[in-house]
Amino acid sequence: MSKSILITGGAGFIGSHVVQLFVEKYPEYQIVNLDALTYAGNLENLKSVEGAANYIFEKADIQDADALDSIFAKHNITDVIHLAAESHVDRSISDPMAFVKTNVFGTVNLLNSAKKAWAGELENHLFYHVSTDEVYGSLHDGGFFLETTPYDPQSPYSASKAASDHFVRAYANTYKMKTVVSNCSNNYGPNHFPEKLIPLCINNIKNSKPLPVYGKGENVRDWLFVKDHARAIDTVFHKGKAGETYNIGGFNEWKNIDIVKLLCKKMDEKLGREPGTSEKLITYVTDRAGHDLRYAIDATKIQKELGWEPSLQFDEGIEITIDWYLANEEWLDHVTSGSYQEYYSELYGKG
Ligand code: NAD
Ligand code: TYD
């Protein structure tokens, strides 16, 4: 195998698309998916690759330094694509320490294991850290996030991601590790855990349950189809310049309330309901504490320098997404009932 790539968080939403893309597109690479299988990790996301000859799954926590060292040695890891994280802002508000432990402490553990495993030949290996646009803070007066925008994280989640980004850059500067960081806007698509806005609304519309819109629904997010993010990660991994940062986004801003109304309209059509039926489910609820007003990525650098651009328009991507959730009732049932967490023991025969 020409490379042995450790992908962390590969059982999660974005990680599962990255693992699938790499396993299928690069049979000459060995892909080692390391995931702790928290509530957000679901091996059912990876059914299409689980028997592939170049795919290995390792259940491990990035907080466990010894486990990381032995996985680096056992699989002769040549490169890392690091996605494992606690990723939900609302959970970070109720339990910030879980975010410090995984996103900060876990990332530093991973950097240390990589540095140890690659000692004396750091220039031959890449540590790719996947991050978020939320590290730049909240836009109030127009404009876009550039790679040079100063960090200004506003939630415990974004503060923990910002800290991890800083550690990655500090290891590049101090120890001369070859690193690259990308900061992406909000993703949507298949395999998205239904605690986040779009899958939560799709699931609730399907079940005629209230659609909780925080505050007035005026907050703006910039949405990118998850497979386009996975393609961007492939591009940055292979073509990105060491030490650089790349912003990833689709120039696709939406107010939350407009997204929710769009989902209602499209799902009324698909479910054969009277127009306007699902909009009645919209319920304005207490705003999120410290709710960032607007995120918007300027993705010119990755487009110009690396030739990546999104393949899908939002209208197509949201259709694919709704259709996927409607066609994958079993996935949704397992996730909402919690039974997806038994899939690991069924597959690997241990607890
Ligand atoms: P997710 O919550 O769906 O998945 C996270 C995965 O990491 C899960 O499989 C979970 O089991 C695993 N994990 C969590 N803690 C772990 C630990 N301590 N050790 C090992 N594995 C652990 O997250 P996602 O939405 O797929 O996000 C993936 C990455 O992309 C994160 O780093 C996130 O910050 C970043 N990101 C997400 C978005 C987005 O819109 N979702 C946008 C930009 C960047
Ligand atoms: P979310 O999907 O949690 O992503 P993030 O906070 O990382 O951007 O939320 C997207 C937007 O939707 C955000 O402005 C908060 C809002 N939101 C709601 O209005 N209702 C909800 O139930 C959720 C989960 C989010």
Side-chain angles (χ1 to χ4, degrees), residues 88-90 134 186 195-197 200 212-214 219 221 223 256 288 291 295:
H88 190 38
V89 174
D90 293 324
E134 303 192 25
N186 285 60
E195 64 182 353
K196 307 275 171 72
L197 180 70
L200 181 141
V213 172
Y214 298 168
N219 304 67
R221 297 292 182 266
W223 294 94
N256 293 339
R288 172 186 280 171
H291 197 171
Y295 304 143

Side-chain angles (χ1 to χ4, degrees), residues 38-64:
T38 68
Y39 80 95
N42 182 354
L43 289 177
E44 292 185 25
N45 294 341
L46 291 162
K47 277 186 174 160
S48 65
V49 297
E50 77 199 9
N54 64 335
Y55 173 69
I56 295 167
F57 176 68
E58 288 280 1
K59 184 170 189 240
D61 192 319
I62 56 170
Q63 295 173 57
D64 181 348

